Amino acid sequence: MADEAGGEARRAPMVWAFAVRDVAGGRLAEAIVEVGARLHGELVVDAVDSGFVLAAGEPPATTGMVEVGGHRFERLVLVGGRQVWEPASGVAVSPGWLSAAERRGGVAVIVVPPGTWPPGLMGLEPHEQVEAFTRSLEEARIAGLLLHGMVGIASR
C-alpha cells in the first residue's frame, strides 16, 4: 500500500520500545523495533539501504526519519521515503523521549531480530523488565544481530 508521500507502507506486527539514555553530549532518544520473522529480512534490507550498520559504537547518520504526532510514534520512513514501516496504530512516547529527540534533532533506531524480547517480560516487575531486556539487547549486540542508525524526526 502506498502512503501519501508515495512510499510503500508496511503495517506488520511490530514491538516497539522507547528509551532515553544519558550519553556524552546530552540525552539520546532510542526507538527499538522488532518485526516478525516473515518481514525481518525486508526491514534489515531497508535499514541497511538507509545507512544502518551493525550496532557497535555510535549510531551513524542515516537517510531514515521517524514521524511523530500528538506524542505518538507514527512511522519509520526508510530508503529516502520509499519504504515506510508503521505500527498498526500510533504508539505513545513519553514527553521526555520526545524532548530528547527534538533537542538532538534525531532518534537512534535499533533494529532487533525476532525473539529478542525475553519470554515473560511483561510479567516481571518494572525494574526486572529493564534488566532482562537490557541483558537480551546486549547479548544480541555481542552476537552481531543488531543494526542501528540515527534518523531524523518530523512532526506529522
Side-chain angles (χ1 to χ4, degrees):
M1 122 181 45
D3 75 340
E4 56 273 0
E8 181 182 335
R10 290 193 174 101
R11 287 196 174 107
M14 296 180 191
V15 180
W16 292 90
F18 299 93
V20 178
R21 282 190 308 122
D22 290 321
V23 296
R27 297 172 51 89
L28 177 65
E30 295 179 321
I32 304 159
V33 60
E34 176 184 317
V35 299
R38 184 175 65 83
L39 292 176
H40 178 71
E42 291 179 46
L43 178 56
V44 166
V45 168
D46 291 351
V48 169
D49 286 351
S50 297
F52 284 58
V53 298
L54 287 178
E58 294 298 313
T62 71
T63 61
M65 179 76 62
V66 295
E67 294 180 355
V68 295
H71 291 283
R72 298 188 72 71
F73 176 91
E74 299 288 337
R75 61 196 202 157
L76 171 63
V77 180
L78 297 172
V79 195
R82 292 190 308 274
Q83 300 299 333
V84 178
W85 291 84
E86 298 178 340
S89 60
V91 180
V93 295
S94 72
W97 184 91
L98 192 54
S99 175
E102 289 172 344
R103 193 169 302 122
R104 188 172 286 265
V107 175
V109 174
I110 302 167
V111 177
V112 303
T116 300
W117 264 254
L121 185 66
M122 299 315 292
L124 299 174
E125 294 295 322
H127 73 281
E128 293 172 323
Q129 287 178 353
V130 171
E131 290 172 6
F133 187 65
T134 301
R135 189 171 41 255
S136 182
L137 277 178
E138 183 61 13
E139 289 169 0
R141 185 193 64 76
I142 289 169
L145 301 174
L146 305 182
L147 294 175
H148 70 171
M150 284 298 295
V151 303
I153 185 168
S155 296
R156 285 185 59 151

